[in-house]
Amino acid sequence: MKNLMRTFVAISILLLIGCNETPPTEPIPVLEKFCNPIKEVINICCSVQDPMAGACQVMGEVTYTHEIIDLQSTQSGISLVRVQIEMEAELCDMFGMIHPPWGIVGSSVDFVYVSEEGVYLLQKAYPICNRNQCVLIVQYLVTTEGVGIPNMWVMQIDKDT
């Protein structure tokens, strides 16, 4: 009977310990994201179809600074992100035609709202030096972790309007 009583007490204690509510183990919004802006370089080597010159290659780099700047929005699941983008590239035709350099240079600063699991699609148009009739369109994917480039193309524009 003593053994039965000891076993019953031991099981009761184990049940009480096991059924206690444990504190949540989910991370609290990470504060170090707000202290250290991310600065990275994306190397570009991408084939594009130029509507006037045919097959071309975009070669260069994009330097971006990514910084989450609004802590209160992050606690609600949405972050205000500051993205500074600097484009420095060149459009090279694949047929070796002789022409002035087709440089692509531009910079911008944007503020976008991004959810923790979401993506913001930021689209930029860059003028092409010595090509008044074309621009380079670049799509940037902005997340809370950084910036990526999924797509780019050359688009002909109408300068008469």
Side-chain angles (χ1 to χ4, degrees):
M1 188 70 173
K2 282 186 175 182
N3 286 338
L4 183 60
M5 194 58 119
R6 286 183 190 160
T7 305
F8 177 73
V9 170
I11 290 175
S12 297
I13 291 174
L14 289 175
L15 284 174
L16 287 175
I17 292 172
C19 292
N20 281 342
E21 189 172 322
T22 57
T25 57
E26 295 178 8
I28 297 173
V30 183
L31 295 178
E32 57 264 12
K33 286 184 181 179
F34 303 96
C35 301
N36 302 322
I38 300 168
K39 186 168 186 174
E40 292 189 2
V41 175
I42 301 172
N43 291 316
I44 303 171
C45 183
C46 180
S47 296
V48 293
Q49 186 65 31
D50 186 323
M52 300 185 77
C56 290
Q57 187 95 4
V58 178
M59 299 183 72
E61 62 185 30
V62 171
T63 304
Y64 73 86
T65 304
H66 176 281
E67 180 178 15
I68 298 176
I69 60 170
D70 190 356
L71 177 60
Q72 291 179 346
S73 295
T74 301
Q75 292 172 347
S76 66
I78 297 176
S79 301
L80 178 60
V81 178
R82 179 184 177 273
V83 180
Q84 180 177 349
I85 299 173
E86 296 177 22
M87 164 71 78
E88 188 171 334
E90 186 173 352
L91 183 65
C92 308
D93 71 77
M94 310 266 300
F95 302 113
M97 297 169 43
I98 297 178
H99 53 76
W102 294 339
I104 304 165
V105 177
S107 63
S108 63
V109 176
D110 294 282
F111 294 86
V112 298
Y113 285 98
V114 181
S115 68
E116 190 66 33
E117 301 83 27
V119 174
Y120 184 87
L121 183 64
L122 180 64
Q123 187 167 300
K124 295 289 180 182
Y126 297 101
I128 302 172
C129 184
N130 299 314
R131 298 283 307 274
N132 294 336
Q133 68 280 15
C134 293
V135 293
L136 177 70
I137 307 292
V138 180
Q139 288 181 335
Y140 297 98
L141 293 180
V142 181
T143 67
T144 55
E145 300 297 319
V147 176
I149 301 176
N151 200 7
M152 68 176 65
W153 64 91
V154 175
M155 185 173 82
Q156 188 172 359
I157 57 172
D158 185 15
K159 279 298 221 180
D160 295 332
T161 58

